Amino acid sequence: DGGITQSPKYLFRKEGQNVTLSCEQNLNHDAMYWYRQDPGQGLRLIYYSQIVNDFQKGDIAEGYSVSREKKESFPLTVTSAQKNPTAFYLCASSHEQGKTEAFFGQGTRLTVV
Amino acid sequence: GESVGLHLPTLSVQEGDNSIINCAYSNSASDYFIWYKQESGKGPQFIIDIRSNMDKRQGQRVTVLLNKTVKHLSLQIAATQPGDSAVYFCAENTGGFKTIFGAGTRLFVKA
């Protein structure tokens, strides 16, 4: 089945630790995105990537980092610099950036304890 | 399940009735609009899209209407079913990387 897979579904982290969220897609999409979702708010863009080895900051990139070494993979690292990391993180991909719909993963719920 | 949108606007409808979910978009230059459905604990799923050269588009049980004059988008769901209960997001795009998502509306279907 083609799709986009995020792991893990739930993640707990101690304050001061970095943590990496996985996102893999087998849809052959060029564009990939990371969003953050908080209760009562829409999705906010953290980072996006148009092609391999290229990525750009979104609206709320501070405290996050990404890599795009392979077309299929776009991992997100939440660093200790992120002041309020507890949130629901969504990865997405699309065939053509901004012109077609995005396909979303099932999300990762990150909780800082 | 995941709590997304604890304080969202809520629309409550009776099973079998039609639902209309409204959305005001922000950018008059936006030319591509999408509706997504998000069930509790899951990622958003594409429902239907429309481009700015159209006023109306129909899918299976869903219709999207676009009024560019007042920057308004609506999603109509015919014969609403309990499985339609979810949070619905509209999204707008100007053709680049930036897709702007609305805060969402929670649809609750009463059996």
Side-chain angles (χ1 to χ4, degrees), chain A:
Chain A
D1 288 334
I4 183 163
T5 303
Q6 289 184 243
S7 61
K9 187 170 175 62
Y10 298 97
L11 189 57
F12 295 88
R13 187 195 90 177
K14 292 183 178 179
E15 281 192 29
Q17 291 181 337
N18 294 351
V19 63
T20 298
L21 282 58
S22 171
C23 178
E24 303 277 333
Q25 55 99 359
N26 60 3
L27 300 165
N28 200 34
H29 286 167
D30 288 312
M32 296 189 74
Y33 316 82
W34 274 104
Y35 292 93
R36 171 181 171 136
Q37 187 173 36
D38 294 287
Q41 298 188 37
L43 280 64
R44 291 185 290 167
L45 183 64
I46 304 173
Y47 267 97
Y48 71 101
S49 170
Q50 296 176 299
I51 56 172
V52 174
N53 292 322
D54 180 72
F55 49 83
Q56 305 294 329
K57 292 182 179 180
D59 297 320
I60 55 166
E62 185 175 351
Y64 300 98
S65 65
V66 293
S67 62
R68 187 86 186 273
E69 298 177 2
K70 298 187 298 183
K71 187 175 185 178
E72 301 80 16
S73 180
F74 191 40
L76 173 75
T77 297
V78 184
T79 74
S80 57
Q82 168 50 232
K83 300 264 186 270
N84 184 22
T86 294
F88 191 51
Y89 291 89
L90 287 159
C91 180
S93 69
S94 65
H95 175 61
E96 194 171 357
Q97 183 174 277
K99 297 181 181 179
T100 58
E101 75 274 21
F103 291 77
F104 285 86
Q106 293 300 293
T108 294
R109 174 71 184 179
L110 173 64
T111 302
V112 174
V113 297

